[in-house]
Amino acid sequence: SQKIEQNSEALNIQEGKTATLTCNYTNYSPAYLQWYRQDPGRGPVFLLLIRENEKEKRKERLKVTFDTTLKQSLFHITASQPADSATYLCALVGGSSNTGKLIFGQGTTLQVKP
Amino acid sequence: EAGVAQSPRYKIIEKRQSVAFWCNPISGHATLYWYQQILGQGPKLLIQFQNNGVVDDSQLPKDRFSAERLKGVDSTLKIQPAKLEDSAVYLCASSLRGGGSGDTQYFGPGTRLTVL
């Protein structure tokens, strides 16, 4: 069955460092992979989309890589700030019946300490 | 631009009671989604509408859950009767096109349901 796994343990880092979050998947061939941010009591907010034929995407301090051979995406936040503290969700889109349905991982909580 | 609106924000009911949630998507968005997010998990799609037609309801427990999107705009999700395991946050999202375009989904704040 399809499975998406993110680091279940919270990631604690010091302000200014680079945070790296991992998303692994099995039994799936996504057309796209998206990353969302979710703050407590709020809905997820879209951050980045990367296509299956793209290796890397950047947006300001954010970088996403997508390795379809390893079936893995890495999400980097450089020069992290306490305001980056949140839960980050990866979501796969596509597959054999591409309706645009998002399949989410369980999320990784990032805590950036000043 | 107004975001996705949901109401109520919180609801507490007893098991076997019924409950309804309302969603108003971003104006002009063709596709509307309802997700269930259990504490500590990612959102799980319950049902997807394209305009007022159902695209995917494969994970909707149809014996107790129902949803409709009248006139292709607002939508309601109903649970009847509720079970303890339905305690979760119910998120509504919308996107401009949907389908296989990889369209950005815009989420509402969610309704937190507690079933006692």
Side-chain angles (χ1 to χ4, degrees), chain B residues 3 5 7-9 28 34 37 43-44 46-47 49 59-61 70 74 76 85 89 93 95 97 103-104 114-115:
Chain B
S7 68
R9 289 297 314 276
W34 281 103
Q37 187 173 24
K44 181 183 83 171
L46 293 175
I47 189 166
F49 293 96
Q59 297 192 94
L60 186 74
L70 298 175
D74 292 9
T76 55
E85 59 261 35
V89 174
S95 65
R97 294 181 301 269
D103 231 5
T104 298
T114 302
V115 182

Side-chain angles (χ1 to χ4, degrees), chain A residues 31-32 34 36 38 41-46 49 51 89 93 98-107, chain B residues 9 33 35 37 40-43 45 48 55-56 58-59 91 99-105 107-109:
Chain A
Y32 311 88
Q34 298 184 358
Y36 286 78
Q38 187 170 28
R42 294 178 171 249
V45 174
F46 172 78
L49 175 149
R51 293 177 170 76
L89 298 157
V93 185
N98 190 2
T99 60
K101 172 180 175 177
L102 288 178
I103 299 177
F104 281 91
Q106 77 272 36
Chain B
R9 289 297 314 276
Y33 312 80
Y35 290 87
Q37 187 173 24
Q41 298 182 18
L45 182 71
Q48 176 181 341
V55 173
D56 187 333
S58 57
Q59 297 192 94
L91 294 162
S101 62
D103 231 5
T104 298
Q105 294 188 21
F107 285 80

Side-chain angles (χ1 to χ4, degrees), chain B residues 19-75:
Chain B
V19 64
F21 313 125
W22 174 82
C23 173
N24 182 236
I26 292 173
S27 177
H29 278 198
T31 307
L32 185 146
Y33 312 80
W34 281 103
Y35 290 87
Q36 180 193 60
Q37 187 173 24
I38 292 170
L39 189 64
Q41 298 182 18
K44 181 183 83 171
L45 182 71
L46 293 175
I47 189 166
Q48 176 181 341
F49 293 96
Q50 182 93 15
N51 298 308
N52 58 352
V54 175
V55 173
D56 187 333
D57 63 357
S58 57
Q59 297 192 94
L60 186 74
K62 298 180 186 65
D63 57 335
R64 298 184 301 106
F65 285 64
S66 64
E68 59 181 7
R69 188 182 186 196
L70 298 175
K71 300 179 182 178
V73 181
D74 292 9
S75 177

